């Protein structure tokens, strides 16, 4: 399954950076989660594809809602033994406008234990209140727990992307959740869309796109990986 994932990604990813890849898994009825609950949709084969995708990027971004519900590690683990020996892990990046990151989350625990990269938090503040936010007890406690905090006055995705590239993140992978996915789809900044569709019906749940209408997709490619169908395309 590792070779299958490698061959598929070699076909669809840009050969040169910088670029942004938006990726997520959804059910047949377009759901990516249940409200307030973790929902694992990908099979082990497509999960290996996603984890290989992670090591091909400098950073991996999620929203604070995903961290609070899923408590992810944002590392590449489901790889071949050879890749795991010399893997370069992506930089975890969390969009967290209110500094709600739980101090007990695995991202911080892993960093404290020396098994994960220091998580970056991107938060927002008006220019006159930057000093107030940076000196707040919440900010100080998160920094003491190991987080690196970036305070931006312009929360727009182009501004955040510029900030990240100034800090070495040329190839960015965006995983979710729903609000983050929808924001990036509206931004016209996504170079590659990779969606895993699992053969399951969820029913009541969280929609990936929430009615967002895409004008067109190009260079569409399909690959069955395990029981899942993976779709890759460029956004117009």
């Amino acid at each position: 399954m590792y070779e299958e994932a490698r061959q598929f990604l070699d076909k669809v990813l840009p050969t040169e950076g910088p670029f942004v890849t938006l990726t997520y898994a959804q059910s047949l009825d377009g759901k990516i989660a249940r409200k307030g609950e973790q929902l694992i949709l990908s099979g082990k084969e497509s999960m290996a594809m996603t984890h290989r995708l992670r090591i091909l990027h400098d950073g991996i971004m999620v929203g604070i809602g995903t961290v609070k519900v899923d408590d992810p590690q944002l590392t590449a683990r489901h790889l071949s033994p050879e890749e795991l020996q010399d893997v370069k892990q992506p930089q975890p990046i969390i969009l967290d406008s209110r500094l709600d990151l739980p101090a007990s989350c695995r991202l911080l625990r892993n960093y404290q234990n020396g098994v994960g990269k220091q998580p970056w938090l991107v938060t927002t503040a008006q220019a006159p209140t930057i000093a107030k936010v940076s000196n707040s007890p919440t900010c100080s406690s998160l920094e003491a727990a190991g987080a690196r905090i970036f305070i931006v006055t312009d929360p727009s995705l182009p501004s955040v992307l510029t900030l990240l590239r100034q800090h070495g993140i040329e190839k960015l992978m965006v995983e979710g959740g729903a609000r983050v996915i929808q924001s990036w789809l509206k931004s016209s900044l996504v170079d590659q869309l990779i969606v895993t569709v699992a053969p399951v019906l969820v029913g009541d749940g969280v929609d990936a796109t929430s009615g967002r209408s895409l004008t067109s997709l190009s260079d569409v490619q399909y690959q069955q990986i395990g029981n899942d169908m993976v779709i890759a395309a460029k956004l117009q």
Side-chain angles (χ1 to χ4, degrees), residues 99 119-123 133 138-140 142-143 147-151:
L99 292 180
W120 292 0
L121 272 64
V122 180
T123 192
V133 172
T138 300
C139 188
S140 298
L142 285 173
E143 289 178 329
R148 181 178 181 182
I149 299 176
F150 296 89
I151 303 174

Side-chain angles (χ1 to χ4, degrees), residues 223-235:
Q223 177 73 48
Q224 183 173 345
I225 299 182
N227 290 327
D228 302 331
M229 180 61 69
V230 182
I231 304 165
K234 291 181 173 56
L235 303 183

Side-chain angles (χ1 to χ4, degrees), residues 1-2 4-5 24-27 39-52 78-79 195-200 224-230:
M1 64 181 175
Y2 304 115
E4 186 178 28
Y24 56 90
Q26 69 171 45
S27 63
L39 180 63
I40 299 174
L41 292 166
S42 299
K44 63 180 181 179
E45 294 87 359
S46 62
M47 184 71 73
M49 183 275 297
T50 299
H51 279 237
R52 174 162 177 77
H78 301 279
L79 301 171
V195 180
T196 298
V197 181
V200 62
Q224 183 173 345
I225 299 182
N227 290 327
D228 302 331
M229 180 61 69
V230 182

Side-chain angles (χ1 to χ4, degrees), residues 104-123:
S104 60
C105 71
R106 286 198 291 184
L107 287 168
L108 288 174
R109 295 204 314 270
N110 283 353
Y111 178 65
Q112 293 162 3
N113 294 327
V115 294
K117 286 191 172 182
Q118 181 183 32
W120 292 0
L121 272 64
V122 180
T123 192

Side-chain angles (χ1 to χ4, degrees), residues 20-65:
V20 175
T21 303
L22 174 61
T23 184
Y24 56 90
Q26 69 171 45
S27 63
L28 279 174
D29 51 351
K31 310 300 182 183
I32 61 171
R34 292 191 178 98
K35 290 187 177 181
E37 297 180 24
Q38 185 178 26
L39 180 63
I40 299 174
L41 292 166
S42 299
K44 63 180 181 179
E45 294 87 359
S46 62
M47 184 71 73
M49 183 275 297
T50 299
H51 279 237
R52 174 162 177 77
L53 189 60
R54 288 179 175 180
I55 67 171
L56 300 176
H57 291 79
D58 304 314
I60 177 170
M61 174 183 286
V62 297
I64 184 60

